[in-house]
Amino acid sequence: MERKRHLLGLEGVSAEDIQVLLDSAETMIEISQRDVKKVPVLRGKTVVNLFLENSTRTRISFEIAAKRLSADTINLSGGGSSLSKGETLADTARNLAAMSPDAIVIRHPSAGAAILLAEVLDCPIINAGDGAHEHPTQALLDLFTIRQAKPELKGLTVTIVGDILHSRVARSNIYGLLTLGAKVRLCGPPTLLPPMFEHLGAELHYDLATAVRDADVMMMLRIQRERQGHNFFPTLDEYARYFCLTEELLAEASSDVIILHPGPMNRGIEISSGVADGPYSLMMNQVANGVAMRMAVLYQLIIPGHDGIRGSEIPERTPTSATG
Amino acid sequence: MNTETQNAARRILVKGGHLIDPSRDVSEKADVLITAGVVEAIDKPGAIPSDGAEVVDARGLFVAPGFVDMHVHLREPGYEYKETVATGCLSAVVGGVTSVACMANTNPVNDSGAVTKYIIDKAKVAGLANVFPVGAVSIGLGGEALAEFGEMFEAGIVAVSDDGHPIMKSSLMRHALEYAKMFGIPVIAHEEDLDLCCGGVMNEGLMSIRLGLEGIPSVGESAMVARDIELARYTGGRLHVAHVSTAESVEMVRRAKHDGLDVTCEATPHHFTLDDSAVAGYNTNAKMYPPLRTERDVAAVRAGIADGTVDSIATDHAPHHRDEKASHFDEAAKGVVGLETVLPLTLALVRDETLTLERMVDALSTQPARNLGIERGTLARGSVADLVVFDADRAWNVNATELASKSKNTPFDGWEMRGKVTRTIVAGRSVWEDAA
């Protein structure tokens, strides 16, 4: 039976599959550095970018990635699509599928939306962020960026700071990092860092100074300003007082620490400008690597001959009985 | 011939079965003779001559008072595309449920005598299960102004509830408990603090973290149970806690009963069978309020049923159209159908020795009838002949598409079940018989 080829999340994706994608991105980096940044490997293929939640960076990154591989791209966003006319997500997707795209990239505000599409459609589905669930290509590009800077992911201490509860970036990174053998520390106020995260295999910290100590990688998450109104923390000022990564705090980290941020960042809130613009910050590398990583994902999923990356296969409860 | 004369002519002898009637502490082989819609005689096997009566062969089967489901959504008026009184009643009798109490969240809301009467009339036309409407506590389920309990009571309601719309206003709950005393009816409470549960779509726990879904904390339920038990203590009103789902809630009800308060409590088969792992893969048929909780909560609910803290089992049968469940999880309708699977799921508790068969029938028939103050849940001589015959061992597979309910939203699709209703009799009339 042919395996469906999707990238729905990093939970359950094997280290081998992740390595294949990271290695593949390595070769894509080179394409982006050429004078003519285009190769014909996806010529004649169509990639639909279905972005039903605001996104600039990710959508553009996917679009550039597809174009560099010579795929045709169609962009659909919430406002102008038939979803605003009352069509259901599954029906929109079926209609798109009837036009035979070779992959659908979906960004949606609700968790599970990419999985829903994968259940309904045959074409490869790439999750570009579904609610607070997963954002696998972001985590892959983060892993790729770390791998560029460090010889070995295994054994590294990676600290993720911020609104862990609502973060799909954090979730995908937790899965990917743990699978590749890194140690993961999570840090934030208890309102945004429920104890259940410990069961995923991460260490929890409410104190940034402790969480920074000897860390090899600091990954700062964007704090959503709208959380302020829901009493997750009193004010952005107080949030910054406890969770803003400053140069002073960074002195406690490993001497060759690197700083990641998925963007867009709030200067002076989760990260000081000194850190953001400092020598350890790899944020612009992340953006550049994002294109290569997404080229790799598109290539690996669309071109036959690969086994595909399934991801996020949370097994259905096996048929059960009440026969006692 | 009208129904009355038909019933007068009809005599049924249920023969050779094992009779379980918790209302009289009976559990023994016995024959039951029904005449003119009531139980005329109960005697040792073979002692009652058939005398031309229709004989129902119940050898190897159990005979019990028809099940009373005090928590059902029949959806009519207003949502006939999900269920009608007729299809809901058919679903009920297929599951052995001879009486249903139907919730008020119809359109229009059942907050008036006119809607109450409309539902009762529809049920009479359907002629299957008995339907006892539950009136709204507040006008339009708005949670602000008390509905006219008296007008609805005179039209036939047996309880009041804003089910689906937890009563956030404590003074309204207090007054409802007080005012309902005038009619001797219970206030059925859907216990969720909407402020704490705000935005949640599944139990808050490791599973909600993994799925990235907004969680509903268990304290959202137990905090409201605590409030309402204290209000019941203060007012002396009759409180019925609907679909209890957390260990803490069960424990508080246990203490309330110990304290002698007029508090009763139900649990649903989904809450005593499934935990929140059933949501894996964003299974929208595992979405309901209150949500499926943890293994620990499931165990506590089971223990509560066993010791009588949770006196009744009710399904919270909540039909929804396929399209309303085909959505992504956040948006999908909440609730599951349950009338046709309540017996085998409860029998599973008997097989794992959580319950005795007698306690099972007590929880399915006798206790809920008492809670509602309706003369059902008993097969005492002279009582209305609502009766169910079931095979406790028959194996069958749930196929959602074959359910009698208009809606197919069951989390148990494909499950292998043991235990099946073979005959349902309502007021002496055989309304359903298993073809197999």
Side-chain angles (χ1 to χ4, degrees), chain B residues 246-304:
Chain B
T246 77
E248 292 74 20
S249 305
V250 172
E251 183 52 33
M252 280 186 284
V253 170
R254 184 174 286 124
R255 271 183 271 148
K257 287 190 167 188
H258 178 261
D259 292 350
L261 306 187
D262 206 347
V263 173
T264 56
C265 179
E266 75 193 26
T268 71
H270 48 270
H271 286 120
F272 68 65
T273 305
L274 302 172
D275 61 36
D276 61 359
S277 66
V279 182
Y282 301 91
N283 177 10
T284 56
N285 281 329
K287 180 180 178 183
M288 71 285 290
Y289 296 164
L292 299 174
R293 304 287 186 183
T294 64
E295 251 178 81
R296 168 179 168 267
D297 296 302
V298 171
V301 171
R302 287 172 174 233

Side-chain angles (χ1 to χ4, degrees), chain A residues 91-254:
Chain A
D91 283 336
T92 300
R94 281 192 196 97
N95 277 278
L96 291 172
M99 301 177 208
S100 309
D102 296 284
I104 296 178
V105 179
I106 178 170
R107 156 74 59 99
H108 197 282
S110 286
I115 291 174
L116 177 68
L117 284 206
E119 279 167 4
V120 183
L121 306 183
D122 279 332
C123 89
I125 305 296
I126 298 165
N127 183 4
D130 61 328
H133 178 225
E134 286 226 40
H135 192 356
T137 59
Q138 176 69 44
L140 286 168
L141 76 87
D142 292 339
L143 294 172
F144 184 82
T145 307
I146 298 170
R147 205 175 74 159
Q148 272 183 333
K150 307 277 178 186
E152 176 81 83
L153 263 154
K154 205 177 167 110
L156 290 184
T157 297
V158 181
T159 300
I160 309 176
V161 185
D163 180 358
I164 309 294
L165 175 60
H166 300 98
S167 176
R168 53 194 173 209
V169 175
R171 283 174 178 75
S172 290
N173 265 299
I174 292 167
Y175 298 130
L177 288 164
L178 291 173
T179 300
L180 296 185
K183 279 186 289 191
V184 178
R185 292 180 187 161
L186 303 175
C187 181
T191 44
L192 296 174
L193 181 55
M196 280 81 81
F197 272 96
E198 203 161 20
H199 295 283
L200 299 183
E203 253 178 53
L204 311 191
H205 293 270
Y206 304 135
D207 173 35
L208 183 55
T210 322
V212 167
R213 200 163 297 144
D214 301 321
D216 300 295
V217 180
M218 292 300 296
M219 188 181 292
M220 308 310 291
L221 300 177
R222 173 183 169 74
I223 195 78
Q224 305 275 338
R225 286 163 186 272
E226 62 266 28
R227 302 279 173 232
Q228 204 180 200
H230 291 92
N231 296 322
F232 285 104
F233 48 86
T235 57
L236 285 171
D237 275 356
E238 178 149 321
Y239 180 85
R241 182 202 304 255
Y242 293 108
F243 298 102
C244 183
L245 186 62
T246 59
E247 286 163 293
E248 190 190 351
L249 278 166
L250 203 54
E252 296 300 314
S254 153

Side-chain angles (χ1 to χ4, degrees), chain B residues 14-363:
Chain B
V14 182
K15 209 172 161 178
H18 180 116
L19 174 68
I20 300 174
D21 184 358
S23 75
R24 295 180 301 123
D25 261 330
V26 167
S27 181
E28 64 192 16
K29 288 234 155 79
D31 293 351
V32 179
L33 178 68
I34 299 165
T35 306
V38 298
V39 177
E40 183 180 304
I42 299 157
D43 213 332
K44 285 190 276 295
I48 307 173
S50 69
D51 239 354
E54 177 192 347
V55 175
V56 172
D57 184 359
R59 281 176 298 175
L61 307 175
F62 290 94
V63 178
F67 306 144
V68 177
D69 190 338
M70 56 185 301
H71 199 135
V72 170
H73 297 271
L74 290 178
R75 304 296 188 208
E76 191 177 3
Y79 305 103
E80 290 84 354
Y81 68 96
K82 298 176 194 251
E83 192 84 284
T84 64
V85 171
T87 58
C89 286
L90 179 62
S91 182
V93 297
V94 168
V97 175
T98 54
S99 294
V100 303
C102 59
M103 289 297 166
N105 59 341
T106 48
N107 186 15
V109 166
N110 183 15
D111 58 6
S112 68
V115 176
T116 303
K117 186 172 180 310
Y118 177 88
I119 295 166
I120 291 172
D121 288 347
K122 285 282 175 184
K124 274 189 189 142
V125 172
L128 294 163
N130 309 298
V131 173
F132 297 98
V134 175
V137 168
S138 65
I139 295 170
L141 301 175
E144 287 293 331
L146 215 54
E148 291 184 344
F149 290 9
E151 181 187 285
M152 294 187 288
F153 180 74
E154 284 173 30
I157 62 162
V158 293
V160 286
S161 179
D162 274 3
D163 183 62
H165 299 257
I167 297 173
M168 289 297 289
K169 194 168 168 166
S170 304
S171 63
L172 174 66
M173 189 62 187
R174 176 224 168 130
H175 290 134
L177 284 163
E178 286 172 338
Y179 192 65
K181 288 202 281 189
M182 225 162 78
F183 311 99
I185 54 176
V187 179
I188 301 175
H190 179 141
E191 305 285 30
E192 289 196 281
D193 181 330
L194 295 176
D195 189 47
L196 272 170
C197 301
C198 131
V201 292
M202 70 170 295
N203 181 51
E204 181 174 294
L206 181 57
M207 194 45 101
S208 68
I209 291 292
R210 281 180 61 203
L211 294 173
L213 291 170
E214 190 85 34
I216 300 174
S218 60
V219 67
E221 174 177 313
S222 49
M224 283 288 262
V225 171
R227 181 198 74 174
D228 289 348
I229 284 174
E230 289 313 305
L231 285 172
R233 190 193 309 275
Y234 190 80
T235 59
R238 283 183 66 193
L239 172 69
H240 178 78
V241 177
H243 39 48
V244 70
S245 76
T246 77
E248 292 74 20
S249 305
V250 172
E251 183 52 33
M252 280 186 284
V253 170
R254 184 174 286 124
R255 271 183 271 148
K257 287 190 167 188
H258 178 261
D259 292 350
L261 306 187
D262 206 347
V263 173
T264 56
C265 179
E266 75 193 26
T268 71
H270 48 270
H271 286 120
F272 68 65
T273 305
L274 302 172
D275 61 36
D276 61 359
S277 66
V279 182
Y282 301 91
N283 177 10
T284 56
N285 281 329
K287 180 180 178 183
M288 71 285 290
Y289 296 164
L292 299 174
R293 304 287 186 183
T294 64
E295 251 178 81
R296 168 179 168 267
D297 296 302
V298 171
V301 171
R302 287 172 174 233
I305 300 170
D307 73 10
T309 299
V310 179
D311 47 82
S312 301
I313 290 167
T315 64
D316 194 6
H317 179 84
H320 288 293
H321 192 273
R322 186 166 66 95
D323 292 345
E324 296 168 311
K325 284 289 191 182
S327 169
H328 47 86
F329 200 87
D330 282 342
E331 211 177 63
K334 54 200 195 295
V336 297
V337 294
L339 287 164
E340 292 163 69
T341 47
V342 59
L343 172 68
L345 293 171
T346 312
L347 275 167
L349 301 190
V350 175
R351 271 191 298 275
D352 72 15
E353 296 183 350
T354 304
L355 306 181
T356 60
L357 256 177
E358 292 73 21
R359 170 68 191 121
M360 179 191 90
V361 174
D362 186 45

Side-chain angles (χ1 to χ4, degrees), chain A residues 256-319:
Chain A
D256 55 354
V257 66
I258 59 169
I259 316 296
L260 303 183
H261 192 302
M265 65 175 154
N266 300 298
R267 286 175 183 268
I269 295 174
E270 69 262 4
I271 189 164
S272 74
S273 285
V275 173
D277 303 329
Y280 311 118
S281 166
L282 298 184
M283 282 179 249
M284 291 309 113
N285 303 42
Q286 284 175 280
V287 177
N289 290 339
V291 174
M293 197 63 243
R294 288 170 179 127
M295 288 167 78
V297 168
L298 289 168
Y299 176 73
Q300 295 289 335
L301 292 186
I302 293 175
I303 296 300
H306 299 283
D307 213 13
I309 312 295
R310 171 83 197 193
S312 270
E313 261 183 318
I314 302 167
E316 289 285 342
R317 242 171 115 87
T318 34

